[in-house]
Amino acid sequence: MSQALKEFKLSSLSDKIFLCLLIVVPVAVGASLLNLPALVVFILAAIAVIALAKVVSDSTEALATHTGATIGGLLTATFGNAVELIIAILALFNGLTEVVKASITGSLIGNILFVLGLSMFFGGVSRKTQSFNRMAASLSASQLFLAGIALVIPAVFNSTTRSSNNGPDLLEELSLLVSVILIICYVGQLIFFLVTHSNLAAGEESSSASASSEDDGDPVEEANKISAEQRNEEVERVGHWSVMRSMVTLVVATVIVGFISEILVSSIEPVTKSLGWTELFVGVIFLAIIGNAAEYVAAITAAVKNNMSLSVNIAIGSSLQMAFFVAPILVFVGFFSGHPLSLRFEEFELVCLVVSIIIVNLVALDGKSNWLEGLQLIGAYFIIAVAFFLHP
């Protein structure tokens, strides 16, 4: 108990908030058992999932400190979207196919516009400019174009084979084959960033602090100082966790997430009916934000600490995980569970996604950011969010 109190005192304000939110977990369970209004259950379950997502994130980071950069990076990539994957699988088994598709779209758009926008805004408020690893960001942004192609082609394919009797079967086959290709590309991306070109992730940290302000002094010296401080903070926060503690925490938190997510998913349909919201809006906005809450905090915190390279990697990397790993897994789960999920998205979703990808590629061109660019990305996200809210 004394060790837990010590860890709580040493934790940051955001960590304290997330830890306090864990109290909502049993409250959400009680609300569900007492059959309280669906909206109340939905809100409580959403808060509980957000708090548990932070626990999953912290335990994964703690494991990474013991396993080394390569395996640690793989663990982070694998469990980074674990909460979203669990929610999506449960929604899929409940027949909420459109909600699952919308959550995929919402996660992609939310990460590359809202998360990145918030990071650039809050990181740039006290600085004229911030710099990030331009080559790594550009490679990741171009990878998003591949994701866009993988989602656009099935829609075009469906529209050109709609008159064929074999159209639905062919679309399902195409989705499965595209999913295989995406997973292969995902593995290649991991090998590229974690093995053959690991310097892009670790060797150019100095770029994150080279353009803070005119009186910052030597940028390289400042960058090394920031990098060392961040490593010390990370070791202080989760480095003392043993491997056993990290693994047990990860497993237990993931199991509880699955249970709470079941409560969350079961309340979606009543909530949409009572409030008149569409499944598209709930999936794109709410489920995407709930599943990515911990990553939102991590990205913004990194930007405020002037580690914009890490922030960009979190925002774009999470989108890549969703497109190249989570979406294909959901296609396979749907195929074997009898709830088929194709990669055909509605035209409106695809247009919003493609526009978002184009914006991110433009931002990544110069390797620098400021608060105005962040505000522009946030504005673009809310324009899309309003459109999804009003979309019938």
Side-chain angles (χ1 to χ4, degrees):
M1 181 63 70
S2 59
Q3 179 64 26
L5 290 174
K6 181 181 179 181
E7 291 178 11
F8 183 80
K9 292 179 180 179
L10 292 174
S11 62
S12 64
L13 177 60
S14 61
D15 288 334
K16 288 185 174 70
I17 293 174
F18 275 103
L19 287 172
C20 291
L21 288 178
L22 289 173
I23 300 174
V24 182
V25 174
V27 176
V29 175
S32 176
L33 294 175
L34 293 173
N35 294 319
L36 295 183
L39 181 59
V40 175
V41 175
F42 179 83
I43 293 174
L44 291 174
I47 296 173
V49 169
I50 290 172
L52 290 167
K54 178 62 174 174
V55 177
V56 172
S57 175
D58 285 348
S59 57
T60 305
E61 290 177 7
L63 273 177
T65 62
H66 294 285
T67 58
T70 301
I71 299 178
L74 181 59
L75 284 171
T76 303
T78 302
F79 288 96
N81 284 312
V83 175
E84 286 178 294
L85 183 59
I86 292 172
I87 294 175
I89 290 176
L90 291 173
L92 193 59
F93 274 93
N94 280 270
L96 301 174
T97 307
E98 294 306 316
V99 172
V100 174
K101 287 185 177 181
S103 67
I104 294 173
T105 305
S107 181
L108 292 171
I109 295 174
N111 282 317
I112 59 182
L113 288 185
F114 193 48
V115 179
L116 192 57
L118 287 174
S119 300
M120 290 182 173
F121 179 82
F122 286 108
V125 166
S126 59
R127 306 174 181 89
K128 288 187 176 180
T129 59
Q130 287 184 290
S131 297
F132 51 87
N133 190 327
R134 182 173 59 181
M135 181 177 294
S138 297
L139 286 170
S140 296
S142 64
Q143 201 61 337
L144 283 174
F145 264 121
L146 177 57
I149 293 172
L151 298 181
V152 169
I153 293 300
V156 177
F157 180 85
N158 181 71
S159 64
T160 56
T161 60
R162 191 171 296 170
S163 58
S164 172
N165 293 330
N166 296 324
D169 294 334
L170 291 174
L171 179 61
E172 187 174 344
E173 291 180 16
L174 176 63
S175 297
L176 289 170
L177 292 172
V178 170
S179 297
V180 172
I181 296 171
L182 287 175
I183 290 178
I184 293 174
C185 292
Y186 177 72
V187 173
Q189 173 191 329
L190 291 179
I191 294 173
F192 182 88
F193 281 109
L194 301 178
V195 181
T196 64
H197 292 71
S198 58
N199 62 297
L200 293 179
E204 294 187 23
E205 290 177 340
S206 61
S207 64
S208 63
S210 61
S212 300
S213 62
E214 292 180 356
D215 56 351
D216 279 345
D218 183 11
V220 175
E221 181 180 349
E222 184 69 19
N224 291 333
K225 179 181 178 182
I226 292 173
S227 178
E229 289 175 351
Q230 289 165 346
R231 282 194 295 269
N232 291 335
E233 287 177 3
E234 186 61 27
V235 171
E236 180 70 23
R237 189 167 68 91
V238 297
H240 59 274
W241 286 22
S242 66
V243 174
M244 181 59 68
R245 176 184 175 182
S246 302
M247 292 182 63
V248 170
T249 303
L250 179 60
V251 172
V252 172
T254 304
V255 171
I256 298 176
V257 164
F259 182 72
I260 300 297
S261 296
E262 176 65 34
I263 297 175
L264 177 69
V265 170
S266 64
S267 65
I268 290 177
E269 194 169 356
V271 167
T272 55
K273 289 182 179 179
S274 62
L275 296 180
W277 293 348
T278 63
E279 292 183 349
L280 180 66
F281 176 70
V282 172
V284 169
I285 304 302
F286 284 100
L287 291 188
I289 291 177
I290 292 169
N292 283 313
E295 293 169 350
Y296 283 29
V297 174
I300 295 171
T301 301
V304 171
K305 293 179 179 179
N306 204 23
N307 191 350
M308 201 62 207
S309 288
L310 176 59
S311 183
V312 171
N313 287 340
I314 292 173
I316 300 181
S318 182
S319 293
L320 292 176
Q321 291 168 17
M322 175 59 68
F324 287 86
F325 179 71
V326 175
I329 292 298
L330 290 174
V331 172
F332 290 124
V333 170
F335 176 76
F336 290 108
S337 67
H339 298 83
L341 177 73
S342 71
L343 292 178
R344 184 193 68 81
F345 291 79
E346 298 298 330
E347 287 78 4
F348 178 67
E349 295 176 84
L350 291 175
V351 169
C352 293
L353 180 60
V354 171
V355 169
S356 302
I357 292 174
I358 293 174
I359 294 174
V360 170
N361 273 268
L362 292 175
V363 170
L365 282 176
D366 61 354
K368 295 182 180 181
S369 65
N370 53 65
W371 68 265
L372 181 58
E373 286 183 330
L375 183 61
Q376 291 168 345
L377 292 179
I378 296 171
Y381 175 78
F382 277 105
I383 290 173
I384 292 174
V386 170
F388 273 113
F389 178 74
L390 297 176
H391 194 278

